[in-house]
Amino acid sequence: MKLAGQERPAYFLYRSLWYALDWLFPPTCGGCNRPGLRWCKPCQERLARITGPICSRCGEPQTELRFANPSADLLCVDCRSHPPEYQAIRSYAVFHGPLREALHRLKYQRDIGIGEALSKHLIELYNDLKWQIDLVSPIPLSPKRARERGYNQSGLLARPLAYAVQKPYQPGALLRPRETRTQVGLSAIERKQNVEGAFTANADKVKGKVVLVIDDVMTTGSTISACAQALRKAGASAVYGLTLARAMQQADADHQPTISS
Ligand SMILES: [Zn+2]
Ligand SMILES: [Zn+2]
């Protein structure tokens, strides 16, 4: 009989470290503030999973009427007219409720233990997708932002995922040499312009490799697109993206049938 973690020692050690910290510093839930766990069961049960039909490239939920040919690969209007630089992006759940709260705490309130707790959803999503990847990279922060915050929230999701799926974790694969203003409150076009050329990739690490990029929230996909562009320019053979949450403008209205809660 194999002991738990024997096959994935790095993941086992990483999780053990966080459980030890929980014992020393009893946590509260990132979604509802209930004491006991970093991410409680009732909050997990309230997640609105993103389910099909979705665009095979950008992962955006679609109403079936928009597909010209139902037997073809499901492609949204945008991906058909402007094929993205990445192969595909998928997100676990809609950015609202307890998930929104937990990601806010992870990103802005230094509640870094939530990263490991939330990463299990990304691991589940990755395991379902069966993508063949060579390395895992978080979306980087600019050096200025990294200094101010002291940690990269995407890295706190990406590292345990890399350990769990036994692929190299490469935080230096992507670099963000210049600071960009926050994407919050910008239109789709402004978002695209804001991150255009913001990233570079390290050819020594990514040349000929299939790279999985991890982010906390996706809104229009412009950040992952800009990363994919830099990675492809540096010789990466393909780029995939996974995000924990996806901001949906009309999550409460016409997308409702495509979202299960
Ligand atoms: Zn909770
Ligand atoms: Zn699409």
Side-chain angles (χ1 to χ4, degrees):
M1 195 181 105
K2 280 183 174 169
L3 292 170
Q6 199 169 322
E7 290 171 86
R8 298 177 297 172
Y11 185 51
F12 178 73
L13 284 173
Y14 188 80
R15 295 190 75 197
S16 302
L17 171 75
W18 283 110
Y19 286 126
L21 287 170
D22 286 347
W23 187 75
L24 288 169
F25 307 101
T28 60
C29 171
C32 66
N33 219 23
R34 197 190 308 251
L37 296 169
R38 282 172 270 142
W39 183 227
C40 79
K41 195 111 187 123
C43 281
Q44 293 179 43
E45 283 164 1
R46 283 182 59 205
L47 292 180
R49 287 293 306 273
I50 296 169
T51 55
I54 57 170
C55 171
S56 62
R57 298 296 290 275
C58 69
E60 195 66 14
Q62 306 293 307
T63 52
E64 272 151 304
L65 293 175
R66 287 177 68 186
F67 298 115
N69 178 3
S71 62
D73 225 9
L74 303 184
L75 274 183
C76 74
V77 175
D78 293 342
C79 291
R80 227 179 298 158
S81 56
H82 298 96
E85 293 264 359
Y86 55 77
Q87 291 304 114
I89 303 179
R90 294 293 181 270
S91 312
Y92 187 79
V94 178
F95 183 54
H96 83 157
L99 186 57
R100 186 190 196 115
E101 191 54 40
L103 285 173
H104 193 273
R105 275 175 63 164
L106 172 67
K107 196 164 177 174
Y108 301 112
Q109 295 175 14
R110 317 188 72 78
D111 206 339
I112 57 174
I114 294 171
E116 189 280 319
L118 295 175
S119 70
K120 68 176 196 178
H121 300 306
L122 278 181
I123 295 163
E124 181 195 328
L125 182 58
Y126 175 86
N127 286 333
D128 285 348
L129 288 164
K130 313 261 184 285
W131 288 340
Q132 300 297 320
I133 60 138
D134 296 313
L135 60 100
V136 179
S137 164
I139 301 269
L141 301 176
S142 70
K144 180 174 177 279
R145 187 65 56 82
R147 268 197 310 277
E148 283 166 4
R149 193 172 290 161
Y151 62 96
N152 177 357
Q153 75 282 355
S154 300
L156 292 169
L157 297 168
R159 186 190 288 272
L161 172 110
Y163 290 166
V165 306
Q166 295 182 291
K167 297 289 179 187
Y169 175 62
Q170 296 276 9
L174 273 165
L175 303 163
R176 191 175 198 157
R178 71 178 171 88
E179 182 62 33
T180 51
R181 64 184 173 125
T182 171
Q183 297 277 75
V184 176
L186 301 185
S187 71
I189 291 167
E190 288 168 335
R191 282 171 171 269
K192 190 167 181 284
Q193 289 166 345
N194 191 34
V195 291
E196 213 155 289
F199 300 95
T200 57
N202 184 339
D204 291 342
K205 293 191 172 173
V206 306
K207 198 160 190 232
K209 301 282 172 64
V210 180
V211 182
L212 175 64
V213 175
I214 305 294
D215 205 359
D216 49 353
V217 187
M218 167 180 164
T219 304
T220 60
S222 55
T223 303
I224 293 181
S225 288
C227 289
Q229 206 163 19
L231 287 163
R232 299 280 286 158
K233 209 170 144 191
S237 57
V239 179
Y240 289 87
L242 274 188
T243 75
L244 189 62
R246 183 173 293 235
M248 313 258 281
Q249 274 110 22
Q250 291 169 303
D252 301 322
D254 54 351
H255 279 125
Q256 203 62 292
T258 66
I259 299 162
S260 67
S261 56

